[in-house]
Structure formats: C-alpha cells, structure tokens
Amino acid sequence: RINTKSYNYLMFIKPKEVIEFLSSHLFLLSGWSIADFGCGGGYFTTLLAEKTGPDGKVFAIDSQEDAIKETKELAELLGFQNIEFHKANLKKTAFENNFFDLIFISQVLFQNNKVKNKFSNVSFSAVEEIISEAKRVLRDGGYMVLLEPKNQLNFLYGDIVEKDKILSIIKNQGLNLVIDKEFHENYYIIVVEK
C-alpha cells in the first residue's frame, strides 16, 4: 500500500481525498482501464493504479518526457505493475475509440488555456481539443473527471479555465454532467458520463 500521508502533505490538493471521493461515488472501480491525461509527477497515477488493482490498468499520459520519467520512477519505487507510460499530445493520442473506462484530467486544462491570437480563425481551443480527445477515447457509459483550480494561485503556471467555459464545452460535446462541485477552497471537480 501507498503511504498517502506524504502525498497529502506535499500537495495543495490532497490526491488521496480526490481518489477516495471518486471511488466512493463508484466513478473508479477495480479492473478498469484508466487514462491519466497529464500524469505530471505520478501522484494521481499511482493512487489510480492502487484502486483499479492488478486486474486494471492505468495509462500515464503526458507530453513532457520528464513527467513520464518521474511517474515511471515513482511507479517502480512503489512496485506497481499495472501502469503503462505514453508520451503523447493530449489533443491527439494514438488510442482507439472507446478504449477507457475512466479519463482523469487533473490540473491540465489551465496549462493549455492560452489566450488566442485575435487574428486567428481557429475556433477550437486547446481546452476543447483535450476534452474532445478524451471523449473520443472514453467508452460509452464511461466517466471523465476534470479537476481544475478555480482561482489563480501563485504556484500555478497557466490561465485559469472558468468553470462555466468547461460546462459549456461539456454540453456542446454531448456529455452528461454528473457532478459539479467545489473541492476545497481553490479547486472544482466535474464528473461527466459519455
């Protein structure tokens, strides 16, 4: 088992609390195939791997080689055998349609919420592209979890994505809103079903 007290001490949002919340609401079950979009340092990846168990699998996906390396080192240190590592652009992955039971996206969208050039004809933002790709690889009846900061925090790099913008994207994508909840004072969590 993982000593999650050390994780909770180091993080401003408590990963174990997030995972327990998802598990208690049956959004995270043993044996599932899970994508961790933007795995970062692997804190959530390893907790997801613990919950889905040896019959499930977590796919740690990040565009940064350093993040993949750090997550892999943590997973090896903790002895996980049910994690695969993929360096990929979250806007276009190589996974098949309807592949995952759960897509977990934590603190990723704000890092991709760049202000567009006012002369650009692009109508699809990076945030929309990531959600669209997550929808594509999520099975029907599967869940997508979005955990994002609701306030600009000094230690975060990126532009906050207003919750209303994400809710609008979700509606336009035809996803069904299951949970829209503030999570502690600085974050919100949204769970949708495909």
Side-chain angles (χ1 to χ4, degrees):
R1 293 201 44 92
I2 298 172
N3 179 356
T4 54
K5 286 185 179 182
S6 62
Y7 288 130
N8 289 335
Y9 177 75
L10 295 172
M11 303 297 287
F12 289 94
I13 183 107
K14 298 176 180 172
K16 182 170 177 44
E17 192 175 328
V18 172
I19 299 305
E20 289 302 325
F21 172 81
L22 296 175
S23 183
S24 71
H25 286 81
L26 302 179
F27 300 128
L28 172 57
L29 298 176
S30 179
W32 273 14
S33 177
I34 300 169
D36 185 1
F37 266 40
C39 63
Y43 298 111
F44 284 110
T45 304
T46 54
L47 292 169
L48 290 164
E50 181 179 47
K51 279 293 183 189
T52 197
D55 293 332
K57 186 168 278 194
V58 176
F59 295 78
I61 307 163
D62 206 291
S63 62
Q64 302 295 317
E65 190 66 45
D66 287 346
I68 296 295
K69 182 181 177 203
E70 189 175 335
T71 301
K72 190 173 192 174
E73 288 171 358
L74 181 61
E76 288 173 357
L77 177 70
L78 297 173
F80 284 102
Q81 303 294 314
N82 62 339
I83 301 174
E84 279 190 22
F85 308 91
H86 297 268
K87 183 176 182 288
N89 182 333
L90 300 179
K91 296 179 259 180
K92 183 72 176 144
T93 68
F95 296 99
E96 296 176 14
N97 294 347
N98 307 304
F99 188 81
F100 296 105
D101 299 299
L102 173 70
I103 308 283
F104 185 79
I105 305 173
S106 173
Q107 304 172 82
V108 168
L109 300 179
F110 80 92
Q111 296 177 53
N112 290 277
N113 191 29
K114 308 295 181 221
V115 177
K116 291 189 292 187
N117 181 329
K118 67 180 180 180
F119 301 107
S120 172
N121 291 327
V122 177
S123 61
F124 219 56
S125 75
V127 171
E128 289 172 301
E129 289 178 282
I130 292 168
I131 292 173
S132 179
E133 178 63 5
K135 177 188 174 190
R136 182 187 71 77
V137 298
L138 182 64
R139 70 165 169 82
D140 290 341
Y143 296 104
M144 182 189 312
V145 176
L146 305 157
L147 178 66
E148 287 289 312
K150 68 177 187 174
N151 302 313
Q152 190 68 43
L153 303 171
N154 291 335
F155 57 88
L156 297 177
Y157 172 76
D159 297 321
I160 298 303
V161 183
E162 297 295 328
K163 185 169 68 168
D164 289 344
K165 177 180 178 177
I166 292 179
L167 292 173
S168 175
I169 293 168
I170 287 165
K171 183 178 179 182
N172 291 339
Q173 291 277 333
L175 296 163
N176 301 311
L177 181 65
V178 179
I179 289 182
D180 167 9
K181 170 183 173 30
E182 288 191 13
F183 210 85
H184 299 290
E185 64 186 60
N186 292 314
Y187 292 87
Y188 59 86
I189 189 165
I190 295 172
V191 180
V192 296
E193 183 179 5
K194 179 176 173 185

